[in-house]
Amino acid sequence: MVAKKKDVIDLSSSLPDIWRILTDTEREILRHSARIVNFKKNELIYLEDDIPKELMCLFTGKVKIFKNGIGGRSQIIRIIRPVQYFGYRAYFARENYVTAAMAFESCTVCMIPLELIEKFLRGNGNLAFFFIQLLSVDLGIADQRVVNLTQKHVRGRLAESLLALKESYGLEEDGATINIYLAREDLASLSNMTTSNAIRTLSNFVNERIIAIDGRKIKIIDEERLHKISRMG
Amino acid sequence: MVAKKKDVIDLSSSLPDIWRILTDTEREILRHSARIVNFKKNELIYLEDDIPKELMCLFTGKVKIFKNGIGGRSQIIRIIRPVQYFGYRAYFARENYVTAAMAFESCTVCMIPLELIEKFLRGNGNLAFFFIQLLSVDLGIADQRVVNLTQKHVRGRLAESLLALKESYGLEEDGATINIYLAREDLASLSNMTTSNAIRTLSNFVNERIIAIDGRKIKIIDEERLHKISRMG
DNA sequence: ATAGAACTATGTTCTAAAACACAAATATAC
DNA sequence: GTATATTTGTGTTTTAGAACATAGTTCTAT
C-alpha cells in the first residue's frame, strides 16, 4: 500500500464521468484530496464491518467484492474492472461495509473522501444522478442474480459466470482466452457451488468441447453453447 | 383502477421525506402532477418489460415485487409497505422493468411522473441524495439476500421470511399474529422453495411450537427460536 | 347456495449437488 | 532449488429438497 505522487496520474482522464460533471472549483478540491493506492495480488482493500470512508475507483487491476456467508462460506458478490467505482454504497446507506474487497491481481486504486463526494453531490444534482444511475444498474443486476443463483443448475451458473468474466475482463490477444487468472475456488464462489463441482463441471465443458483449459486459463470455444446453457439454467 | 380527486389526500403528510426536501415551487408542480390510483387485491401494478414512467409511493395496502425466473418459476424479490417508494429503479437505469409488481391486497398508490422527479433531483442535490440512500439500502439488502437464499437451508430461509414479514407489516392486536394474509405459494416464492416445502416446514414449526397457524394467519410463538433458526441457516 | 377452481396437506420417489476421501499436480516460501 | 502448502482432479457416498401423486379443504364467482 504505497501512496504515489498524486500528479503522476491525470485525474481528468482517469476519473471518467465524475470529472466531466464537476465544476472547476470542485475539480481543484478533488485534485488535492484524491490519493492513489497500490494493492498487491490477494491484498485486502477493505473488510466486512469496516467504516466506509473513501470512494474508490479502480484504475488498473481486478477486484472482487465478496461476503462471508453461513459458516464462513464466502461468496463473490460482484467483480470490479477498470474504470469502475466501488466502496460507496455502505457510506450512502449509513452502514458499515457488509462486504469485503480484495485484489485478484495487483491494482491501482484512486481514493476520494466520501464526505467530500457527498458534499459535492448534494450541491450538484447531475453528479448525484450519476450515482443514482450506478446504484440503479447494480440493483437491477443484484435482483437478476438472486434468480440466477437460486434457480439455475450448476452448469447454467458456471456458464453464466464464464460469460460474465469474459464480459468484465475481456479476452486475450487470441480472441478466445478469458483475460483473468482465477482459482477454481473463486470460480466456485462466483457461481455459488463447491470447488469440486466447479472443477467437475469445467471438465465436462472441456469434454463437450465448449471450452479448453490450460491450468487456470480458460479458452471459450463455443460461446453460443455457453449462452444457451446459461439461458436454459 | 379509479383515479381519485387529487386533493382528497394531503400530499404533504403522505409523501414523507420527498415533500420535506422540495422547494415551494416544486411542491406546487408536484401537487398538480401526482395522481392517486387504487388497485384491487391481486391486481398487477406493472409488468416485466413495461416502460417505467411513474415513481410510485404506496399509501395503503401491501405490494410484492417479483420476477419470473427459469421456466416461469416466479420469485418474490421484495415486499413494499406503506409508505415506501417503488418502481423507479428501472427508469434511472434507463431500462424497462425487469420485475413486476402486484397488490397483495387492495392498495392506494400515488403516482408521480419520473421525468418530473428526474428534473427535480438534477436541480436538487438533497432530493437526489434521498434516492441515493434508498437505492444504497436496497442494494445492501439485495446483496445480503443473495447469500441468505443460496446458503441457508429451507428452515433458515422460511424463518427469515417470517421475520421479514413481521418486520415489514407488523403484528395484529394480539401482538403475535403476523399482519398479512399470504398464500403458501407466496411464502414459498419469498423463501425460494417449493410450495410443498413451505407447507411442510411450516407444519414442522407448528409441531415444534415455534409458530401456530390458523388458515393463512401465522402467529409467532417463539420469536427467539425463529431468529436462531434464521441465523444458523 | 353451489359448482368449480385454487389452495393446503402429506406421503413417496427421485436426483442434483454437497460432503468426503485421497492422489496428483502446482504454487509459494524459505 | 528444494520442501511444504495449496490447488486440482476424480471417484464414492450421502442427503436436502425437488418432483410427483392424491386427497381434503377453502375460496370465489355465478
Side-chain angles (χ1 to χ4, degrees):
Chain A
M1 219 162 120
V2 178
K4 273 194 197 171
K5 246 175 90 213
K6 284 183 210 56
D7 46 0
V8 168
I9 291 190
D10 175 16
L11 289 180
S12 67
S13 66
S14 305
L15 283 181
D17 315 298
I18 283 193
W19 197 261
R20 188 172 42 76
I21 300 167
L22 292 176
T23 64
D24 284 345
T25 328
E26 287 168 344
R27 283 178 186 165
E28 197 46 44
I29 298 170
L30 188 61
R31 214 191 304 277
H32 290 91
S33 316
R35 67 194 181 104
I36 308 287
V37 182
N38 290 313
F39 294 92
K40 290 197 284 274
K41 186 184 160 91
N42 293 329
E43 203 174 347
L44 279 160
I45 299 174
Y46 62 78
L47 266 170
E48 224 157 315
D49 293 321
D50 277 1
I51 299 167
K53 293 202 169 71
E54 291 172 300
L55 168 68
M56 301 172 197
C57 180
L58 182 62
F59 281 174
T60 66
K62 302 182 176 81
V63 167
K64 67 171 167 183
I65 309 293
F66 63 101
K67 256 178 101 61
N68 283 332
I70 316 299
R73 198 177 134 200
S74 100
Q75 172 142 13
I76 296 178
I77 298 293
R78 70 189 119 249
I79 53 181
I80 309 291
R81 65 164 176 274
V83 183
Q84 283 189 323
Y85 296 95
F86 66 102
Y88 54 89
R89 187 209 65 81
Y91 177 84
F92 289 148
R94 305 296 189 236
E95 299 166 7
N96 288 359
Y97 283 123
V98 298
T99 54
M102 183 188 270
F104 270 137
E105 53 183 56
S106 67
C107 289
T108 305
V109 178
C110 176
M111 309 258 198
I112 304 164
L114 274 159
E115 259 182 46
L116 186 67
I117 293 292
E118 181 174 343
K119 213 177 75 188
F120 282 0
L121 53 79
R122 278 190 185 275
N124 183 336
N126 288 329
L127 180 64
F129 194 76
F130 171 74
F131 279 97
I132 286 177
Q133 286 193 300
L134 289 189
L135 285 161
S136 293
V137 168
D138 277 354
L139 184 55
I141 293 169
D143 286 349
Q144 183 61 53
R145 197 168 157 74
V146 168
V147 173
N148 287 343
L149 287 186
T150 57
Q151 296 194 3
K152 284 184 185 173
H153 288 183
V154 279
R155 284 170 64 87
R157 300 205 299 273
L158 185 63
E160 195 197 356
S161 292
L162 294 176
L163 292 168
L165 286 170
K166 184 216 146 192
E167 209 50 52
S168 266
Y169 297 134
L171 300 173
E172 297 185 353
E173 302 72 35
D174 65 358
T177 304
I178 301 172
N179 185 28
I180 190 172
Y181 189 77
L182 214 54
R184 300 289 189 266
E185 193 183 347
D186 275 324
L187 202 52
S189 154
L190 190 63
S191 315
N192 182 42
M193 60 183 71
T194 55
T195 308
S196 308
N197 258 328
I199 291 167
R200 210 182 300 268
T201 309
L202 224 41
S203 295
N204 292 341
F205 283 177
V206 171
N207 291 335
E208 297 168 47
R209 311 235 171 281
I210 300 167
I211 60 168
I213 53 182
D214 174 18
R216 289 188 178 181
K217 280 295 178 181
I218 298 169
K219 184 186 281 192
I220 297 177
I221 295 174
D222 189 347
E223 182 167 342
E224 202 31 68
R225 236 24 264 259
L226 224 43
H227 275 289
K228 196 182 285 177
I229 293 169
S230 168
R231 241 180 293 117
M232 288 307 164
Chain B
M1 221 161 119
V2 178
K4 275 194 195 170
K5 245 175 91 213
K6 284 184 212 55
D7 47 0
V8 168
I9 290 189
D10 175 15
L11 289 181
S12 66
S13 66
S14 305
L15 284 181
D17 315 299
I18 283 194
W19 198 261
R20 189 173 41 77
I21 299 166
L22 293 175
T23 64
D24 283 345
T25 330
E26 287 168 345
R27 283 178 188 166
E28 197 46 43
I29 298 170
L30 188 62
R31 214 191 305 275
H32 290 90
S33 316
R35 65 193 183 104
I36 308 287
V37 182
N38 290 312
F39 293 93
K40 290 198 285 275
K41 185 185 162 90
N42 292 329
E43 203 175 346
L44 278 160
I45 299 174
Y46 62 78
L47 267 170
E48 225 158 315
D49 294 322
D50 277 1
I51 299 168
K53 292 200 169 73
E54 292 173 299
L55 168 68
M56 300 173 198
C57 181
L58 182 62
F59 281 174
T60 65
K62 302 182 176 82
V63 167
K64 67 171 167 184
I65 309 292
F66 63 101
K67 257 178 99 60
N68 283 332
I70 315 299
R73 199 177 132 202
S74 100
Q75 172 141 14
I76 295 177
I77 298 292
R78 71 190 118 249
I79 53 180
I80 309 290
R81 65 163 176 274
V83 184
Q84 283 189 323
Y85 295 95
F86 66 102
Y88 54 91
R89 187 210 65 81
Y91 178 84
F92 290 149
R94 305 296 190 234
E95 298 166 8
N96 288 358
Y97 283 122
V98 298
T99 54
M102 183 188 269
F104 270 137
E105 54 184 56
S106 68
C107 288
T108 306
V109 178
C110 176
M111 310 258 197
I112 304 163
L114 275 160
E115 258 182 47
L116 185 68
I117 293 291
E118 180 174 344
K119 213 177 75 187
F120 282 179
L121 53 80
R122 278 190 186 275
N124 183 336
N126 288 329
L127 180 64
F129 194 77
F130 171 72
F131 279 96
I132 287 178
Q133 286 194 299
L134 289 190
L135 285 161
S136 293
V137 169
D138 276 354
L139 184 56
I141 293 170
D143 286 349
Q144 183 61 53
R145 197 167 157 75
V146 168
V147 173
N148 287 343
L149 287 186
T150 57
Q151 296 193 4
K152 285 183 185 174
H153 288 184
V154 278
R155 283 171 64 87
R157 299 205 300 273
L158 186 63
E160 195 197 358
S161 292
L162 294 177
L163 291 169
L165 286 169
K166 183 216 146 192
E167 209 51 51
S168 266
Y169 298 134
L171 300 172
E172 297 185 351
E173 302 72 37
D174 65 358
T177 304
I178 302 172
N179 186 27
I180 189 171
Y181 189 75
L182 214 54
R184 300 290 189 267
E185 193 183 348
D186 276 324
L187 202 52
S189 153
L190 191 63
S191 315
N192 183 41
M193 60 184 72
T194 55
T195 307
S196 305
N197 259 327
I199 292 168
R200 211 183 301 268
T201 310
L202 225 41
S203 294
N204 292 341
F205 284 177
V206 172
N207 291 335
E208 297 168 47
R209 311 234 171 281
I210 299 167
I211 61 168
I213 53 181
D214 173 17
R216 290 187 177 182
K217 280 296 179 180
I218 298 169
K219 184 185 281 193
I220 297 178
I221 294 173
D222 190 346
E223 182 166 341
E224 203 31 68
R225 235 11 270 272
L226 224 42
H227 275 289
K228 195 182 286 177
I229 292 169
S230 168
R231 242 180 292 119
M232 287 308 164

